[in-house]
């Protein structure tokens, strides 16, 4: 089973790499890895197992966090109806998203970050996602709320992005812009 010792921490170069796509259908090895990732989440959410093995509770895990630079993610959380939902996905992506953004009031944390980082992490409020499940079958889902935030956090790991990269440097609690607001930025430094 995976434990905290298998999880690499910030500063490790793998967390900054773009993960490689999985060739489909998934190999036995890739399926085993992804199953272990989901098992880790199950164990981490079981108070007895977590205590016994010193696991930090987690709702998501991306393969780069166990030093495997491949496009795999596992999510285990509750949806807006309080039902447990589990995703184990190969090659996940966002196919469309809301203009509206959202963020977690309490901020985000990461199993690869052993410190508290405060600030607003803007995320899309609603996303339509695609990926391949453990059987190699293509799935499409609409996610919102906490699940949508977790998915975006995990997808960022597959692109070498850490949640704090999205926090405004000089004003961590600055409210994100309302949707539809247009920012005219002069990238070239040429006079407007
Ligand atoms: C809060 C927690 C997570 C995602 C979004 C908000 C997951 C934390 C565990 N991970 O480090 C997964 O990458
Ligand atoms: Ni993380």
């Amino acid at each position: 089973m995976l434990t905290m010792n298998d999880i690499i921490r910030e500063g490790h170069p793998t967390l900054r790499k773009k993960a490689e796509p999985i060739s489909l259908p998934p190999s036995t090895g890739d399926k085993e890895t992804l199953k272990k990732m989901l098992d880790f989440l199950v164990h981490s959410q079981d108070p007895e197992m977590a205590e016994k093995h010193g696991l930090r509770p987690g709702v998501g895990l991306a393969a780069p966090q166990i030093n495997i630079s491949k496009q795999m993610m596992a999510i285990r959380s509750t949806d807006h109806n309080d039902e447990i939902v589990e995703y184990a996905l190969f090659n996940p992506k966002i196919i469309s998203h809301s203009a509206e953004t959202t963020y977690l009031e309490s901020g985000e944390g990461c199993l690869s970050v052993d410190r508290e980082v405060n600030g607003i992490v803007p995320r899309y409020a609603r996303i339509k996602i695609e990926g391949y499940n453990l059987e190699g079958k293509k799935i499409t889902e609409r996610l919102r709320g906490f699940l949508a935030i977790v998915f975006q956090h995990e997808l960022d790991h597959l692109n070498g992005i850490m949640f704090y990269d999205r926090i405004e440097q000089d004003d961590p609690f600055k409210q994100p812009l309302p949707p539809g607001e247009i920012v005219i930025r002069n990238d070239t430094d040429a006079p407007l």
Side-chain angles (χ1 to χ4, degrees):
M1 67 175 265
L2 295 175
T3 69
M4 295 308 292
N5 293 334
D6 298 296
I7 294 177
I8 59 171
R9 309 302 157 94
E10 54 179 338
H12 194 297
T14 301
L15 289 172
R16 288 308 191 177
K17 283 191 195 141
K18 263 182 95 74
E20 293 295 325
I22 299 287
S23 64
L24 299 167
S27 69
T28 310
D30 287 340
K31 285 198 262 191
E32 286 308 312
T33 303
L34 189 50
K35 273 188 223 164
K36 277 190 199 164
M37 289 167 55
L38 190 57
D39 281 343
F40 171 86
L41 299 180
V42 174
H43 298 152
S44 81
Q45 293 171 20
D46 173 347
E48 269 175 33
M49 282 294 270
E51 157 95 63
K52 185 169 172 208
H53 300 281
L55 310 176
R56 250 180 80 186
V59 288
L61 188 66
Q65 294 183 276
I66 53 167
N67 203 16
I68 297 175
S69 197
K70 293 183 179 182
Q71 293 179 21
M72 300 188 268
M73 67 157 75
I75 292 175
R76 187 177 201 261
S77 185
T78 47
D79 65 10
H80 44 272
N81 300 317
D82 255 17
E83 312 234 34
I84 291 180
V85 281
E86 291 183 340
Y87 294 108
L89 297 173
F90 297 108
N91 302 344
K93 60 179 186 189
I94 293 174
I95 52 179
S96 61
H97 62 78
S98 59
E100 191 187 332
T101 58
T102 188
Y103 59 88
L104 272 189
E105 203 81 56
S106 52
E108 295 189 16
C110 182
L111 294 168
S112 298
V113 179
D114 292 323
R115 61 193 170 102
E116 207 177 297
V117 186
N118 298 306
I120 289 175
V121 184
R123 301 293 189 185
Y124 299 125
R126 294 173 300 281
I127 54 178
K128 191 173 170 194
I129 64 117
E130 207 175 81
Y132 294 82
N133 68 13
L134 280 166
E135 289 112 70
K137 201 178 147 231
K138 186 177 185 164
I139 66 133
T140 317
E141 295 275 351
R142 284 174 196 278
L143 304 180
R144 57 184 165 107
F146 185 62
L147 272 181
I149 291 174
V150 176
F151 184 95
Q152 290 169 79
H153 177 116
E154 305 316 329
L155 192 64
D156 272 353
H157 278 307
L158 304 185
N159 289 308
I161 298 166
M162 301 294 283
F163 72 93
Y164 47 73
D165 299 347
R166 300 193 179 277
I167 298 175
E168 193 74 44
Q169 283 288 327
D170 28 62
D171 189 1
F173 291 97
K174 188 167 113 185
Q175 292 297 313
L177 287 168
E181 187 154 334
I182 297 164
V183 190
I184 301 168
R185 215 176 66 224
N186 185 0
D187 277 332
T188 58
D189 263 332
L192 282 172

